[in-house]
Amino acid sequence: MAKILVLEADKILAGNLSRYLRNSGHSVTWSSGPQEAIEQTDKNQPDVIVTDLVLGEHSGVEFLYELRSYPEWQDLPVIILSTIAYNDLASTGHSLKELNIAEFYYKSETSLPEIAKAIDLLSQPLQSPAGLGTRTAR
Amino acid sequence: MKQFSDKAVILTRTDFGEADRIITFLTARHGKVKAIAKAVRKSKSKLAGGIELFSVSDITVIVGRGEINTLISTRLVKHYANIVKDLARTQLAYEFIRLLNKNTETAAEFAYFKLIKTGFEALDDSSIDPELTALWFNMQLLKIAGHAPNLRSDSRGAKLKSSATYGFRLDDMHFAPQESAGDFTEHHIKFLRVGFAARGPRVLARVVEASKLAEATQPLIQTMLKSSLRV
């Protein structure tokens, strides 16, 4: 079971995603705005964040820059589930490379099971080959 | 030289070279067609008058070897002039063509052409609330693209009840009964049923308390668009 923070401005979409992830055995917190998401991240220490890039009047990219500005959250796995296609985002000049994004999904072409699968992969501790410890999947 | 004539609506216009323009049309029988309109930005152009935004035109195109064709004649059939007299209606008309351009491929069906034409007609008619037109347009777009919700039975396959309240499940596009107060009642679902079935937005306007129901269902339709189509 993973602790997941869903950052999504659309209440119905957030409700559907949260319900599906809860039914898959995860613990889910929902934030509708970036400021609330930063506070929730601090409070709940999620294992994975799922965020859109369009958050009402705010930008998900700004949220990501703020998140990554905290040293303890620089490796926190982030999945983007957006209404903006990756190619459209690239054409606006935004680069997500420096923001350490684990996965990028385009909403209209992604099913809920695909998101759940990505979360499972990202949140599972992997056994190192030498069996000396665990690490988080990236 | 292969050529064809068809009814068409402009989806995009891009200036090209000194006086040319590349235009993407949505046609009635030939899907989405990209064509170069030569010298169309010159004042004496015979093509220019027949290719206005928010219009239906007769166009004749010579089929090119590659992706680009050449536009050789145009005639304006109907220009929806009232749209540009109102800012909200103009914005919606732009939104309609943007959505259709993003969600249609080269072989777009006739239904898409019919949808944009009916959408323009409704926006041109000042007696129809533009918000209802937008809602109807989005419902029809979902329907044509194959993403219409199930409005007959709930997520368990049972008939929708008048006494129950429902939430909406995007994964199987069903309404699911909710024990605590759900966001949707039978009135909302019936309104959606009318909207998805209607041939034009005027039918929606006849529903009692249409504006209130539209306001309540509009966020759900937006969510469906976001999760199913390219927006």
Side-chain angles (χ1 to χ4, degrees), chain B:
Chain B
M1 211 179 307
K2 198 180 167 191
Q3 67 180 57
F4 67 83
S5 298
D6 205 346
K7 295 245 178 315
V9 165
I10 291 180
L11 293 181
T12 66
R13 297 189 298 189
T14 313
D15 288 349
F16 183 72
E18 206 170 295
D20 302 345
R21 193 169 266 168
I22 294 174
I23 302 170
T24 309
F25 293 101
L26 181 65
T27 65
R29 288 176 288 116
H30 293 82
K32 211 153 92 172
V33 173
K34 205 177 243 190
I36 186 162
K38 288 188 176 161
V40 76
R41 284 150 60 210
K42 286 186 178 169
S43 56
K44 288 183 180 173
S45 168
K46 287 176 184 169
L47 292 175
I51 42 173
E52 285 291 322
L53 272 180
F54 315 143
S55 305
V56 174
S57 308
D58 274 326
I59 61 164
T60 304
V61 163
I62 295 178
V63 179
R65 283 184 197 152
E67 197 188 337
I68 300 274
N69 310 296
T70 306
L71 187 68
I72 54 166
S73 88
T74 62
R75 187 178 68 87
L76 204 61
V77 176
K78 172 75 184 166
H79 177 53
Y80 301 99
N82 291 331
I83 294 177
V84 291
K85 291 176 187 166
D86 181 286
L87 187 58
R89 286 172 194 270
T90 309
Q91 280 177 330
L92 284 174
Y94 272 116
E95 181 64 7
F96 289 178
I97 57 176
R98 189 189 68 80
L99 273 175
L100 276 190
N101 191 33
K102 275 202 131 181
N103 288 286
T104 48
E105 305 297 336
T106 315
E109 298 161 33
F110 174 68
Y112 287 105
F113 177 79
K114 203 174 158 196
L115 174 63
I116 191 87
K117 188 169 170 280
T118 314
F120 284 165
E121 279 165 7
L123 287 177
D124 195 55
D125 184 340
S126 58
S127 68
I128 303 174
D129 178 359
E131 292 303 321
L132 276 183
T133 303
L135 186 65
W136 172 84
F137 182 91
N138 290 338
M139 287 186 205
Q140 296 302 313
L141 188 57
L142 281 165
K143 187 171 142 186
I144 299 168
H147 297 287
N150 186 322
L151 301 167
R152 297 277 162 201
S153 59
D154 68 18
S155 53
R156 295 171 192 156
K159 277 192 174 177
L160 296 163
K161 289 180 198 161
S162 57
S163 54
T165 58
Y166 296 88
F168 190 74
R169 288 177 26 165
L170 283 164
D171 38 345
D172 54 7
M173 297 294 268
H174 270 87
F175 282 91
Q178 287 196 337
E179 282 165 21
S180 56
D183 290 332
F184 305 101
T185 65
E186 65 156 344
H187 297 298
H188 297 122
I189 298 168
K190 278 182 185 170
F191 182 71
L192 290 175
R193 220 180 267 168
V194 172
F196 274 95
R199 287 186 183 173
R202 193 178 283 284
V203 180
L204 271 182
R206 289 197 201 117
V207 176
V208 179
E209 295 194 316
S211 307
K212 212 172 145 189
L213 291 167
E215 200 180 315
T217 49
Q218 192 264 351
L220 175 63
I221 296 298
Q222 281 298 328
T223 306
M224 287 184 202
L225 281 179
K226 272 190 258 173
S227 63
S228 310
L229 300 178
R230 297 179 203 136
V231 291

Side-chain angles (χ1 to χ4, degrees), chain A residues 10 13 16 19 106-108, chain B residues 168-170 223 226 229:
Chain A
D10 189 314
L13 209 58
N16 271 266
R19 181 183 48 77
Y106 187 29
K107 261 181 199 165
S108 64
Chain B
F168 190 74
R169 288 177 26 165
L170 283 164
T223 306
K226 272 190 258 173
L229 300 178

